[in-house]
Amino acid sequence: MPEGDTVFRASRSMRKALVGRVMTSTDFRVPQHATADLSGRTVTEVVPRGKHMLTRTDAGVTLHTHFKMEGTWHLYKPETKWRGGPAHEIRAILGNDEWTAVGYRLAIVELLPTAEEHRAVGHLGPDLLGPDWDLDDALARINAKPDLAIGEALLDQRNLAGIGNIYKNETLFLKGLHPWTPVNQVKDLAGVVTLAQKLLKLNCEHWSQSTTGNTAPGERRWVISRGGQPCRRCGTRIVTGMQGDPLVARFTYWCPHCQPER
Ligand SMILES: [Zn+2]
């Protein structure tokens, strides 16, 4: 499940493989860009913004992609077999002499002028993993809706960018917060945001997305995807519910003992 840390790591790999190199082939498998061709152009930068990735070129054109739930970029050497999924799931291909980057199941594949990137990512709050992270700005944005449930506020990328369902659930467990606690009743909002950022940063270094510190399969999470199983701290069964507007509602997991409703 891609979150800010996944996009951050993917961007780092893409940067190493693509930046400073001339593209020898490109293929955008979305109707609006089916005939676009950026071959002959050089990739100048790959930038993660929350769950968005911006691949900039010297054509003054940026490729904007979004990972959503299932998206991923794979990098292949010429002799390697492509293993990211069936061909119909490929949304974009960027090739140079050494590497081919293949984007599978990307929710957004959009070419836009680099000068107009704000159209794609301008709505995002401060990026938890970005160089311009601004805690005060993020807190102000969250506090602007004081009655909203903290679980919803953390997922809203307009407040702060990078937290997905995993880090939302795990952070709330570690802070002993019931997911429906209104923002204005969260005593240490800065501590909540800072902990989510810490978990994301720790996982920028490896792919396991462990929040427990244990990387063994089945031991990586405190509550998420553990509905009905015993809490690792107190043994109470983890419960689940849907949180958020019906159109965007996500499964939420919590321990009724460690995260009591106040
Ligand atoms: Zn518990």
Side-chain angles (χ1 to χ4, degrees), residues 38-85:
L38 288 174
S39 56
R41 295 299 188 163
T42 301
V43 175
T44 55
E45 183 54 291
V46 181
V47 184
R49 279 281 180 271
K51 291 187 261 185
H52 302 251
M53 185 191 280
L54 302 170
T55 304
R56 297 178 183 146
T57 71
D58 68 349
V61 170
T62 294
L63 170 63
H64 165 223
T65 52
H66 190 286
F67 285 53
K68 212 69 175 271
M69 301 295 282
E70 310 234 293
T72 179
W73 280 97
H74 285 218
L75 287 163
Y76 299 111
K77 288 280 192 182
E79 66 278 11
T80 332
K81 195 170 186 295
W82 294 7
R83 296 176 184 280

Side-chain angles (χ1 to χ4, degrees), residues 173 231 233-234 236 255 257-258:
F173 172 81
C231 171
R233 282 196 172 149
C234 74
T236 305
C255 168
H257 178 76
C258 297

Side-chain angles (χ1 to χ4, degrees), residues 16-181:
K16 280 185 193 156
L18 301 179
V19 168
R21 296 199 169 106
V22 175
M23 289 185 281
T24 50
S25 64
T26 64
D27 187 356
F28 306 101
R29 298 187 180 174
V30 290
Q32 68 272 35
H33 300 309
T35 58
D37 184 3
L38 288 174
S39 56
R41 295 299 188 163
T42 301
V43 175
T44 55
E45 183 54 291
V46 181
V47 184
R49 279 281 180 271
K51 291 187 261 185
H52 302 251
M53 185 191 280
L54 302 170
T55 304
R56 297 178 183 146
T57 71
D58 68 349
V61 170
T62 294
L63 170 63
H64 165 223
T65 52
H66 190 286
F67 285 53
K68 212 69 175 271
M69 301 295 282
E70 310 234 293
T72 179
W73 280 97
H74 285 218
L75 287 163
Y76 299 111
K77 288 280 192 182
E79 66 278 11
T80 332
K81 195 170 186 295
W82 294 7
R83 296 176 184 280
H88 72 263
E89 292 182 354
I90 296 174
R91 294 285 176 272
I93 303 172
L94 306 174
N96 59 38
D97 281 341
E98 240 184 284
W99 292 99
T100 305
V102 184
Y104 292 92
R105 299 174 292 277
L106 298 165
I108 296 173
V109 174
E110 175 190 28
L111 295 169
L112 76 172
T114 301
E116 293 176 24
E117 281 178 2
H118 60 272
R119 285 203 280 121
V121 294
H123 64 288
L124 295 177
D127 187 334
L128 285 147
L129 298 172
D132 50 355
W133 165 245
D134 183 339
L135 176 63
D136 290 338
D137 183 18
L139 295 178
R141 288 168 183 249
I142 295 172
N143 280 320
K145 286 186 186 168
D147 299 327
L148 191 67
I150 182 67
E152 287 183 68
L154 291 180
L155 277 188
D156 190 335
Q157 307 294 304
R158 294 168 297 183
N159 288 338
L160 68 184
I163 298 178
N165 214 28
I166 294 176
Y167 293 104
K168 164 199 139 177
N169 280 279
E170 299 291 273
T171 299
L172 293 179
F173 172 81
L174 288 165
K175 283 290 182 185
L177 280 169
H178 191 273
W180 273 269
T181 308

